[in-house]
Amino acid sequence: MFLCTQMGLGHEEGFGAPCLKCKEKCEGFELHYWRKICRNCKCGQEEHDIPSSNEEDRKVGKLFEDTKYTTLIEKLKNDPVYKRNVMILSSPVPAKKNITIDTVTYEWAPPVQSQALARQYMQMLPKEKQPVAGSEGAQYRKKQLAKQLPAHDQDPSKCHELSPSEVKHMEQFVKKYKREALGVGDVKLPGDVEVRAPDENNLKNGGGRGTSSAVGTMEKSPNRKASQYSCYHCKLNMKEGDPAVYAERAGYDKLWHPGCFTCCTCSELLVDMIYFWKNGNLYCGRHYCDSERPRCAGCDECCFISQQICQGCHNAIDPEVQRVTYNNFNWHATQECFLCSCCSKCLIGQKFISVAGMLFCSVACKEKMMS
């Protein structure tokens, strides 16, 4: 009966998976698809070592469906599964007699044509966050995919029993952030970037968004040295020959060091350079949604409920307040509101009978009231 609670929540994928954070077995997992927080240690799903599949790739693919964003859309036109860029870098290592090949496989790499530029980008990331296959950095990337881009922030089917109205509000919200905020970083050398005119329709998001449809002059600045460019985050100058990350929605007059392309809220690297731009700041998906909608501490879902009215006190129920929902009627989950309409017995955690928005603790109370 409760729309959401802060107790009894587990993971959808498995049972007893070891938590990477508390290093213990969490015995309270149950196979309820809407449960996203461990009931035992309260860790998020990303903290648990649950076997992976291509579900994360499908999630990223769905995130970019129906968008006009230029970096990834070509990869998504014919296949709903996002094909991340797995990159294998090989460099000869001289030995006494033979030349061996030192090979490094990255589970993800920026979508650039130059392997040398991709290598430079990777080397500028903290070593423990470089997504080398089988390494700590690969686990870090996997964890951040789950944490920064939760499926229940973009797909109503991943949420728990949304009403038709809530589904509609969520779909409108997702369309809005795809249209106004979602993007993927570009890795380029400073000076090789076209400076584009900002899109006036997006100035409200804190700085113009350079798009292929923007109208205005576009020019390169090859005569400008890298040291004359400064990182938008740390304000330090770029070094000669080092690549920078650009965000199309922020405008190509801004750039970041690879290690500075982070969420303004959690300060973590933006996984696969997927960002949300708002009011002059970069956000990961989770914290962008948090800045727009309240999030339930129990089920980890954003609230898309409009002002529903409590049947008990007839006041509006705040989206962040715990409520009881039954047959499209709503009550504050308090002793003062969720009670028998006849004898005023509190019904929280109790069986009840509902008739046209009225609650009864027993058939006797129902018959007494209805008569």
Side-chain angles (χ1 to χ4, degrees):
M1 293 178 293
F2 285 94
L3 181 67
C4 53
T5 66
Q6 295 187 23
M7 297 179 66
L9 301 176
H11 291 282
E12 60 183 83
E13 282 85 356
F15 179 88
C19 175
L20 302 179
K21 187 175 181 181
C22 62
K23 306 299 183 183
E24 296 177 356
K25 285 273 188 175
C26 297
E27 303 297 341
F29 295 175
E30 296 180 13
L31 297 179
H32 291 284
Y33 76 93
W34 57 274
R35 294 185 172 179
K36 304 171 182 73
I37 295 177
C38 175
R39 66 155 57 167
N40 196 25
C41 65
K42 308 303 180 185
C43 301
Q45 172 183 323
E46 67 279 354
E47 300 290 351
H48 290 268
D49 189 15
I50 297 172
S52 62
S53 65
N54 65 349
E55 186 61 30
E56 293 294 346
D57 293 342
R58 291 187 181 276
K59 178 176 67 176
V60 176
K62 186 172 181 62
L63 179 65
F64 283 91
E65 282 181 348
D66 303 321
T67 70
K68 295 182 179 179
Y69 196 71
T70 58
T71 302
L72 283 185
I73 194 63
E74 291 299 325
K75 296 184 177 67
L76 301 172
K77 282 184 177 178
N78 300 317
D79 190 348
V81 180
Y82 163 63
K83 301 296 185 183
R84 60 189 179 277
N85 299 314
V86 177
M87 183 178 68
I88 300 176
L89 294 179
S90 300
S91 57
V93 178
K96 292 182 178 179
K97 294 182 179 180
N98 301 317
I99 294 180
T100 60
I101 301 298
D102 182 26
T103 300
V104 179
T105 300
Y106 293 95
E107 293 191 354
W108 172 87
V112 295
Q113 295 181 351
S114 169
Q115 192 179 80
L117 190 62
R119 185 197 298 272
Q120 284 180 286
Y121 168 85
M122 288 299 187
Q123 291 176 345
M124 292 182 68
L125 298 179
K127 189 170 183 179
E128 69 276 9
K129 296 181 179 180
Q130 296 176 13
V132 176
S135 71
E136 177 185 359
Q139 287 298 317
Y140 169 80
R141 174 183 171 272
K142 176 184 172 183
K143 173 181 174 181
Q144 293 305 315
L145 272 172
K147 188 172 185 178
Q148 295 185 15
L149 302 172
H152 50 274
D153 278 4
Q154 56 173 291
D155 187 352
S157 70
K158 300 296 185 181
C159 299
H160 175 54
E161 295 182 358
L162 299 186
S163 68
S165 174
E166 290 174 290
V167 171
K168 182 179 179 180
H169 287 153
M170 183 175 184
E171 289 175 343
Q172 291 173 341
F173 174 69
V174 172
K175 287 181 180 179
K176 182 176 184 291
Y177 74 56
K178 286 185 177 183
R179 184 176 65 249
E180 298 181 359
L182 176 64
V184 180
D186 295 328
V187 176
K188 297 182 181 294
L189 291 174
D192 289 346
V193 177
E194 291 180 341
V195 180
R196 304 176 184 177
D199 184 344
E200 294 181 359
N201 293 328
N202 290 279
L203 289 176
K204 62 181 180 180
N205 277 340
R209 174 180 65 164
T211 66
S212 57
S213 61
V215 178
T217 58
M218 295 188 293
E219 57 181 10
K220 290 187 178 181
S221 50
N223 296 325
R224 189 176 174 187
K225 294 183 178 180
S227 59
Q228 294 176 292
Y229 294 88
S230 60
C231 174
Y232 187 73
H233 175 73
C234 71
K235 310 305 180 186
L236 298 178
N237 290 340
M238 302 297 296
K239 295 181 180 179
E240 292 292 336
D242 281 351
V245 182
Y246 291 82
E248 185 180 30
R249 293 197 183 270
Y252 281 85
D253 59 327
K254 302 176 182 66
L255 52 80
W256 288 259
H257 292 110
C260 291
F261 200 64
T262 59
C263 172
C264 68
T265 300
C266 63
S267 300
E268 295 288 353
L269 285 178
L270 292 167
V271 64
D272 294 6
M273 298 194 301
I274 298 172
Y275 69 86
F276 292 72
W277 179 253
K278 177 184 175 182
N279 296 331
N281 291 306
L282 294 170
Y283 289 85
C284 67
R286 170 178 292 276
H287 291 115
Y288 173 83
C289 291
D290 287 351
S291 74
E292 293 282 316
R293 309 291 303 190
R295 186 181 296 277
C296 174
C299 68
D300 199 46
E301 295 175 11
C302 292
C303 296
F304 293 95
I305 300 175
S306 56
Q307 294 282 294
Q308 297 179 318
I309 302 298
C310 176
Q311 293 295 115
C313 66
H314 303 291
N315 293 320
I317 302 176
D318 190 276
E320 294 182 314
V321 172
Q322 195 174 61
R323 68 187 60 78
V324 180
T325 299
Y326 187 79
N327 282 350
N328 294 322
F329 293 103
N330 301 275
W331 296 263
H332 288 103
T334 62
Q335 296 180 357
E336 295 77 20
C337 294
F338 195 63
L339 42 76
C340 178
S341 299
C342 180
C343 67
S344 299
K345 175 183 176 181
C346 177
L347 297 176
I348 295 177
Q350 305 296 319
K351 292 182 178 180
F352 62 86
I353 302 170
S354 175
V355 179
M358 293 187 294
L359 302 173
F360 302 102
C361 64
S362 65
V363 174
C365 274
K366 173 191 170 185
E367 292 179 346
K368 180 178 179 180
M369 191 72 175
M370 300 304 288
S371 62

